[in-house]
């Protein structure tokens, strides 16, 4: 940690005086030195992802010296504590707790349910070609193999012309493995005009935009589904979920209420309305209260229920402050100034960290409920 802090304040004091290009290069070089020559000799690994050094580099690059220093000090205080509040990630076969400087919605907001496509669609194809094998892969949810099979059919000409069932299942496979950009590219550049009008295809395109967190684009895509379509209830269900993710709860409930009770997934709409009411009834803590309590080191963290982090902040800030005081008392002004800067940065970082802890807590409560919202694309 000491090595990280040393690099942090080298960046803080010296690099802001340089041009932005030199500053970015300098920060990168300093952290490369730390990662390559210091980090591996410490005998322990950071439990967070990205590691504290990489987190700090991202914070400085994205937010500049001042906010980067505050974010880094907050991360160092929080590192390894209250692990239950973080999402688990895997890095090089090791579990890590995910925490980025620009935390927010996860990249993949909802679990996806994929219906079987094989049994009801196999009759559309001639047994002499291999499309039945492609559909069987979709049916068994072996999406990676299905994509390879699709490309094989295209390459060898087994697919003479575009078919709705074939192209739709290809888009489903791409969405299933997270290739959302490829779904959009394939729709815009590979599909013919007739297939682009098909509601099933439009739903998959909207799903790709949605999972890229572009909820506005998902909504505009869904609007192209005609009210006479069999898939109009699917559109209303999906539209309601997209509105909920944009915090347009009134619009979301309106869309859910438009779904007829005879719709096979009408219970999804009912469940979603209950979840919307639950989100609206959440009693969130106030970030400004965390800021006020943070005037006492660690107070904001205690308010957020992060007691271990709060204790760490209190002890660390106190020790640094005491080191600064004793250094000045013994006329060791250089160390006193350095320790004072550390004290001020960690003190300020704990205040902003407490505020962010409450914001993160409030957001996580909303995300937990939103992750239960249900929709279907087929």
């Amino acid at each position: 940690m000491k090595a990280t802090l040393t690099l942090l304040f080298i960046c803080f004091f010296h690099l802001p005086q340089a041009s932005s290009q030199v500053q970015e290069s300098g920060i990168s070089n300093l952290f490369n030195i730390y990662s390559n020559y210091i980090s591996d000799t410490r005998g322990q690994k950071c439990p967070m992802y990205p590691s504290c050094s990489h987190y700090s580099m991202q914070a400085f690059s994205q937010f500049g010296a001042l906010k980067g220093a505050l974010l880094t000090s907050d991360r160092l205080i929080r590192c390894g504590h209250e692990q239950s509040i973080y999402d688990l990630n895997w890095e090089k076969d090791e579990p890590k707790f995910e925490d980025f400087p620009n935390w927010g919605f996860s990249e993949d907001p909802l679990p996806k349910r994929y219906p079987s496509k094989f049994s009801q669609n196999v009759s559309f194809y001639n047994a002499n070609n291999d499309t039945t094998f492609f559909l069987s892969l979709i049916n068994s949810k072996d999406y990676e193999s299905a994509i390879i099979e699709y490309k094989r059919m295209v390459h060898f000409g087994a697919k003479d012309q575009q078919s709705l069932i074939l192209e739709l299942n290809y888009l489903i496979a791409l969405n299933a493995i997270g290739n959302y950009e490829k779904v959009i590219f394939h729709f815009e550049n590979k599909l013919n005009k007739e297939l682009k009008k098909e509601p099933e295809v439009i739903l998959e395109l909207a799903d790709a935009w949605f999972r890229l967190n572009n909820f506005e684009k998902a909504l505009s895509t869904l609007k192209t589904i005609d009210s006479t379509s069999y898939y109009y209830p699917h559109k209303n269900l999906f539209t309601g979920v997209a509105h909920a993710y944009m915090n347009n709860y009134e619009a979301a409930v309106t869309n859910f209420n438009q779904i007829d009770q005879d719709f096979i997934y009408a219970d999804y709409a009912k469940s979603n309305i209950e979840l919307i009411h639950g989100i609206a009834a959440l009693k969130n803590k106030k970030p400004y209260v965390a800021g006020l309590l943070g005037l006492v080191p660690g107070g904001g963290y205690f308010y957020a229920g992060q007691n271990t982090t709060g204790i760490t902040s209190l002890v660390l800030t106190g020790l640094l402050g005491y080191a600064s005081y004793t250094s000045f008392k013994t006329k060791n002004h250089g160390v006193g100034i350095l320790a004072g800067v550390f004290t001020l940065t960690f003190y300020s970082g704990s205040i902003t960290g407490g505020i962010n802890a409450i914001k993160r807590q409030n957001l996580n409560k909303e995300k937990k409920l939103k992750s239960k919202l249900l929709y279907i694309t087929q």
Side-chain angles (χ1 to χ4, degrees), residues 148-173:
I148 295 173
E149 175 63 13
Y150 172 89
K151 293 180 177 180
R152 188 198 67 80
M153 288 189 292
V154 172
H155 180 76
F156 289 103
K159 186 177 85 71
D160 296 328
Q161 60 183 4
Q162 289 189 332
S163 158
L164 171 60
I165 301 302
L166 196 64
E167 297 297 333
L168 174 61
N169 280 275
Y170 177 61
L171 296 180
I172 289 173

mmCIF file of all heavy atoms in Angstrom, residues 148-173:
data_model
loop_
_atom_site.group_PDB
_atom_site.id
_atom_site.type_symbol
_atom_site.label_atom_id
_atom_site.label_comp_id
_atom_site.label_asym_id
_atom_site.label_seq_id
_atom_site.Cartn_x
_atom_site.Cartn_y
_atom_site.Cartn_z
ATOM 1 N N ILE A 148 -20.918 -21.246 -35.064
ATOM 2 C CA ILE A 148 -19.944 -21.834 -35.994
ATOM 3 C C ILE A 148 -20.655 -22.578 -37.110
ATOM 4 O O ILE A 148 -20.279 -22.485 -38.285
ATOM 5 C CB ILE A 148 -18.991 -22.778 -35.230
ATOM 6 C CG1 ILE A 148 -18.138 -21.975 -34.233
ATOM 7 C CG2 ILE A 148 -18.103 -23.546 -36.201
ATOM 8 C CD1 ILE A 148 -17.289 -22.827 -33.326
ATOM 9 N N GLU A 149 -21.710 -23.308 -36.768
ATOM 10 C CA GLU A 149 -22.471 -24.047 -37.780
ATOM 11 C C GLU A 149 -23.145 -23.104 -38.763
ATOM 12 O O GLU A 149 -23.188 -23.361 -39.971
ATOM 13 C CB GLU A 149 -23.498 -24.948 -37.096
ATOM 14 C CG GLU A 149 -24.449 -25.687 -38.043
ATOM 15 C CD GLU A 149 -23.728 -26.657 -38.976
ATOM 16 O OE1 GLU A 149 -22.536 -26.954 -38.747
ATOM 17 O OE2 GLU A 149 -24.367 -27.101 -39.942
ATOM 18 N N TYR A 150 -23.667 -22.005 -38.267
ATOM 19 C CA TYR A 150 -24.280 -21.007 -39.143
ATOM 20 C C TYR A 150 -23.256 -20.482 -40.144
ATOM 21 O O TYR A 150 -23.534 -20.381 -41.345
ATOM 22 C CB TYR A 150 -24.841 -19.853 -38.303
ATOM 23 C CG TYR A 150 -25.332 -18.682 -39.113
ATOM 24 C CD1 TYR A 150 -26.646 -18.623 -39.565
ATOM 25 C CD2 TYR A 150 -24.485 -17.625 -39.425
ATOM 26 C CE1 TYR A 150 -27.100 -17.552 -40.323
ATOM 27 C CE2 TYR A 150 -24.923 -16.548 -40.187
ATOM 28 C CZ TYR A 150 -26.225 -16.515 -40.624
ATOM 29 O OH TYR A 150 -26.662 -15.441 -41.372
ATOM 30 N N LYS A 151 -22.062 -20.155 -39.668
ATOM 31 C CA LYS A 151 -21.019 -19.641 -40.551
ATOM 32 C C LYS A 151 -20.569 -20.690 -41.562
ATOM 33 O O LYS A 151 -20.247 -20.379 -42.704
ATOM 34 C CB LYS A 151 -19.828 -19.149 -39.727
ATOM 35 C CG LYS A 151 -20.157 -17.914 -38.888
ATOM 36 C CD LYS A 151 -18.959 -17.461 -38.076
ATOM 37 C CE LYS A 151 -19.286 -16.186 -37.297
ATOM 38 N NZ LYS A 151 -18.136 -15.722 -36.486
ATOM 39 N N ARG A 152 -20.563 -21.962 -41.115
ATOM 40 C CA ARG A 152 -20.207 -23.040 -42.038
ATOM 41 C C ARG A 152 -21.228 -23.151 -43.170
ATOM 42 O O ARG A 152 -20.877 -23.305 -44.339
ATOM 43 C CB ARG A 152 -20.116 -24.367 -41.277
ATOM 44 C CG ARG A 152 -19.552 -25.526 -42.107
ATOM 45 C CD ARG A 152 -19.888 -26.857 -41.488
ATOM 46 N NE ARG A 152 -21.314 -27.105 -41.533
ATOM 47 C CZ ARG A 152 -21.958 -27.548 -42.625
ATOM 48 N NH1 ARG A 152 -21.299 -27.761 -43.745
ATOM 49 N NH2 ARG A 152 -23.258 -27.762 -42.586
ATOM 50 N N MET A 153 -22.516 -23.038 -42.806
ATOM 51 C CA MET A 153 -23.571 -23.117 -43.813
ATOM 52 C C MET A 153 -23.467 -21.959 -44.805
ATOM 53 O O MET A 153 -23.646 -22.137 -46.003
ATOM 54 C CB MET A 153 -24.943 -23.117 -43.131
ATOM 55 C CG MET A 153 -25.264 -24.403 -42.416
ATOM 56 S SD MET A 153 -26.997 -24.462 -41.857
ATOM 57 C CE MET A 153 -26.983 -23.191 -40.601
ATOM 58 N N VAL A 154 -23.177 -20.776 -44.295
ATOM 59 C CA VAL A 154 -23.027 -19.617 -45.180
ATOM 60 C C VAL A 154 -21.853 -19.819 -46.122
ATOM 61 O O VAL A 154 -21.934 -19.564 -47.334
ATOM 62 C CB VAL A 154 -22.842 -18.337 -44.351
ATOM 63 C CG1 VAL A 154 -22.491 -17.151 -45.253
ATOM 64 C CG2 VAL A 154 -24.099 -18.030 -43.548
ATOM 65 N N HIS A 155 -20.744 -20.312 -45.577
ATOM 66 C CA HIS A 155 -19.533 -20.470 -46.376
ATOM 67 C C HIS A 155 -19.701 -21.511 -47.481
ATOM 68 O O HIS A 155 -19.260 -21.307 -48.611
ATOM 69 C CB HIS A 155 -18.370 -20.864 -45.464
ATOM 70 C CG HIS A 155 -17.078 -21.045 -46.187
ATOM 71 N ND1 HIS A 155 -16.318 -19.985 -46.633
ATOM 72 C CD2 HIS A 155 -16.411 -22.171 -46.562
ATOM 73 C CE1 HIS A 155 -15.242 -20.431 -47.237
ATOM 74 N NE2 HIS A 155 -15.263 -21.761 -47.211
ATOM 75 N N PHE A 156 -20.365 -22.616 -47.151
ATOM 76 C CA PHE A 156 -20.484 -23.696 -48.122
ATOM 77 C C PHE A 156 -21.782 -23.637 -48.929
ATOM 78 O O PHE A 156 -22.073 -24.556 -49.703
ATOM 79 C CB PHE A 156 -20.371 -25.056 -47.423
ATOM 80 C CG PHE A 156 -18.991 -25.355 -46.939
ATOM 81 C CD1 PHE A 156 -18.664 -25.238 -45.612
ATOM 82 C CD2 PHE A 156 -17.992 -25.734 -47.834
ATOM 83 C CE1 PHE A 156 -17.384 -25.503 -45.150
ATOM 84 C CE2 PHE A 156 -16.711 -26.001 -47.401
ATOM 85 C CZ PHE A 156 -16.399 -25.887 -46.048
ATOM 86 N N GLY A 157 -22.550 -22.601 -48.738
ATOM 87 C CA GLY A 157 -23.725 -22.395 -49.579
ATOM 88 C C GLY A 157 -24.923 -23.225 -49.210
ATOM 89 O O GLY A 157 -25.861 -23.330 -50.009
ATOM 90 N N ALA A 158 -24.933 -23.844 -48.022
ATOM 91 C CA ALA A 158 -26.117 -24.600 -47.609
ATOM 92 C C ALA A 158 -27.299 -23.672 -47.378
ATOM 93 O O ALA A 158 -28.446 -24.088 -47.380
ATOM 94 C CB ALA A 158 -25.819 -25.393 -46.334
ATOM 95 N N LYS A 159 -26.994 -22.405 -47.181
ATOM 96 C CA LYS A 159 -28.023 -21.391 -46.952
ATOM 97 C C LYS A 159 -28.091 -20.513 -48.204
ATOM 98 O O LYS A 159 -27.349 -19.553 -48.372
ATOM 99 C CB LYS A 159 -27.641 -20.549 -45.722
ATOM 100 C CG LYS A 159 -28.675 -19.565 -45.281
ATOM 101 C CD LYS A 159 -28.210 -18.870 -44.026
ATOM 102 C CE LYS A 159 -27.320 -17.691 -44.352
ATOM 103 N NZ LYS A 159 -28.058 -16.576 -44.951
ATOM 104 N N ASP A 160 -28.971 -20.865 -49.142
ATOM 105 C CA ASP A 160 -29.042 -20.158 -50.418
ATOM 106 C C ASP A 160 -29.705 -18.797 -50.291
ATOM 107 O O ASP A 160 -29.372 -17.863 -51.007
ATOM 108 C CB ASP A 160 -29.792 -21.012 -51.448
ATOM 109 C CG ASP A 160 -29.033 -22.295 -51.760
ATOM 110 O OD1 ASP A 160 -27.782 -22.247 -51.703
ATOM 111 O OD2 ASP A 160 -29.680 -23.311 -52.025
ATOM 112 N N GLN A 161 -30.655 -18.658 -49.411
ATOM 113 C CA GLN A 161 -31.319 -17.380 -49.223
ATOM 114 C C GLN A 161 -31.675 -17.203 -47.749
ATOM 115 O O GLN A 161 -31.725 -18.162 -46.993
ATOM 116 C CB GLN A 161 -32.578 -17.305 -50.079
ATOM 117 C CG GLN A 161 -33.603 -18.385 -49.768
ATOM 118 C CD GLN A 161 -34.803 -18.303 -50.686
ATOM 119 O OE1 GLN A 161 -34.842 -17.489 -51.591
ATOM 120 N NE2 GLN A 161 -35.778 -19.161 -50.444
ATOM 121 N N GLN A 162 -31.885 -15.952 -47.364
ATOM 122 C CA GLN A 162 -32.150 -15.675 -45.963
ATOM 123 C C GLN A 162 -33.513 -16.211 -45.544
ATOM 124 O O GLN A 162 -34.502 -16.051 -46.244
ATOM 125 C CB GLN A 162 -32.068 -14.168 -45.707
ATOM 126 C CG GLN A 162 -30.648 -13.629 -45.775
ATOM 127 C CD GLN A 162 -30.566 -12.198 -45.302
ATOM 128 O OE1 GLN A 162 -31.519 -11.449 -45.392
ATOM 129 N NE2 GLN A 162 -29.404 -11.808 -44.788
ATOM 130 N N SER A 163 -33.512 -16.846 -44.397
ATOM 131 C CA SER A 163 -34.731 -17.405 -43.834
ATOM 132 C C SER A 163 -34.954 -16.791 -42.466
ATOM 133 O O SER A 163 -34.001 -16.598 -41.691
ATOM 134 C CB SER A 163 -34.605 -18.927 -43.718
ATOM 135 O OG SER A 163 -35.508 -19.429 -42.766
ATOM 136 N N LEU A 164 -36.195 -16.487 -42.130
ATOM 137 C CA LEU A 164 -36.521 -15.886 -40.849
ATOM 138 C C LEU A 164 -36.063 -16.761 -39.690
ATOM 139 O O LEU A 164 -35.403 -16.287 -38.764
ATOM 140 C CB LEU A 164 -38.028 -15.628 -40.759
ATOM 141 C CG LEU A 164 -38.545 -15.195 -39.379
ATOM 142 C CD1 LEU A 164 -37.875 -13.902 -38.931
ATOM 143 C CD2 LEU A 164 -40.063 -15.060 -39.397
ATOM 144 N N ILE A 165 -36.406 -18.057 -39.747
ATOM 145 C CA ILE A 165 -36.094 -18.943 -38.636
ATOM 146 C C ILE A 165 -34.586 -19.067 -38.448
ATOM 147 O O ILE A 165 -34.073 -19.009 -37.321
ATOM 148 C CB ILE A 165 -36.711 -20.337 -38.857
ATOM 149 C CG1 ILE A 165 -38.228 -20.228 -38.988
ATOM 150 C CG2 ILE A 165 -36.335 -21.266 -37.710
ATOM 151 C CD1 ILE A 165 -38.898 -19.588 -37.792
ATOM 152 N N LEU A 166 -33.858 -19.184 -39.540
ATOM 153 C CA LEU A 166 -32.409 -19.335 -39.453
ATOM 154 C C LEU A 166 -31.756 -18.066 -38.927
ATOM 155 O O LEU A 166 -30.938 -18.103 -37.998
ATOM 156 C CB LEU A 166 -31.847 -19.696 -40.827
ATOM 157 C CG LEU A 166 -30.415 -20.247 -40.838
ATOM 158 C CD1 LEU A 166 -30.347 -21.568 -40.095
ATOM 159 C CD2 LEU A 166 -29.922 -20.402 -42.273
ATOM 160 N N GLU A 167 -32.114 -16.920 -39.504
ATOM 161 C CA GLU A 167 -31.496 -15.656 -39.097
ATOM 162 C C GLU A 167 -31.896 -15.289 -37.664
ATOM 163 O O GLU A 167 -31.077 -14.781 -36.893
ATOM 164 C CB GLU A 167 -31.897 -14.531 -40.057
ATOM 165 C CG GLU A 167 -31.418 -14.726 -41.488
ATOM 166 C CD GLU A 167 -29.898 -14.748 -41.592
ATOM 167 O OE1 GLU A 167 -29.221 -14.131 -40.745
ATOM 168 O OE2 GLU A 167 -29.378 -15.395 -42.519
ATOM 169 N N LEU A 168 -33.130 -15.548 -37.315
ATOM 170 C CA LEU A 168 -33.594 -15.244 -35.966
ATOM 171 C C LEU A 168 -32.807 -16.046 -34.936
ATOM 172 O O LEU A 168 -32.352 -15.507 -33.917
ATOM 173 C CB LEU A 168 -35.081 -15.543 -35.845
ATOM 174 C CG LEU A 168 -35.687 -15.401 -34.443
ATOM 175 C CD1 LEU A 168 -35.549 -13.976 -33.925
ATOM 176 C CD2 LEU A 168 -37.150 -15.834 -34.460
ATOM 177 N N ASN A 169 -32.639 -17.337 -35.198
ATOM 178 C CA ASN A 169 -31.904 -18.156 -34.246
ATOM 179 C C ASN A 169 -30.439 -17.777 -34.179
ATOM 180 O O ASN A 169 -29.797 -17.898 -33.131
ATOM 181 C CB ASN A 169 -32.058 -19.637 -34.609
ATOM 182 C CG ASN A 169 -33.377 -20.204 -34.143
ATOM 183 O OD1 ASN A 169 -33.508 -20.629 -33.007
ATOM 184 N ND2 ASN A 169 -34.381 -20.181 -35.020
ATOM 185 N N TYR A 170 -29.888 -17.301 -35.266
ATOM 186 C CA TYR A 170 -28.509 -16.812 -35.250
ATOM 187 C C TYR A 170 -28.389 -15.592 -34.343
ATOM 188 O O TYR A 170 -27.453 -15.478 -33.545
ATOM 189 C CB TYR A 170 -28.070 -16.477 -36.668
ATOM 190 C CG TYR A 170 -26.681 -15.888 -36.757
ATOM 191 C CD1 TYR A 170 -25.568 -16.598 -36.324
ATOM 192 C CD2 TYR A 170 -26.481 -14.605 -37.277
ATOM 193 C CE1 TYR A 170 -24.296 -16.062 -36.407
ATOM 194 C CE2 TYR A 170 -25.211 -14.059 -37.360
ATOM 195 C CZ TYR A 170 -24.120 -14.788 -36.921
ATOM 196 O OH TYR A 170 -22.859 -14.237 -36.997
ATOM 197 N N LEU A 171 -29.357 -14.672 -34.435
ATOM 198 C CA LEU A 171 -29.351 -13.496 -33.561
ATOM 199 C C LEU A 171 -29.533 -13.894 -32.096
ATOM 200 O O LEU A 171 -28.910 -13.319 -31.195
ATOM 201 C CB LEU A 171 -30.450 -12.518 -33.977
ATOM 202 C CG LEU A 171 -30.313 -11.880 -35.367
ATOM 203 C CD1 LEU A 171 -31.478 -10.941 -35.634
ATOM 204 C CD2 LEU A 171 -28.985 -11.134 -35.489
ATOM 205 N N ILE A 172 -30.386 -14.880 -31.860
ATOM 206 C CA ILE A 172 -30.581 -15.375 -30.498
ATOM 207 C C ILE A 172 -29.275 -15.922 -29.937
ATOM 208 O O ILE A 172 -28.909 -15.661 -28.780
ATOM 209 C CB ILE A 172 -31.672 -16.465 -30.471
ATOM 210 C CG1 ILE A 172 -33.049 -15.834 -30.705
ATOM 211 C CG2 ILE A 172 -31.655 -17.232 -29.161
ATOM 212 C CD1 ILE A 172 -34.164 -16.843 -30.852
ATOM 213 N N ALA A 173 -28.553 -16.674 -30.761
ATOM 214 C CA ALA A 173 -27.280 -17.238 -30.314
ATOM 215 C C ALA A 173 -26.269 -16.141 -29.999
ATOM 216 O O ALA A 173 -25.550 -16.207 -29.000
ATOM 217 C CB ALA A 173 -26.728 -18.188 -31.378
#
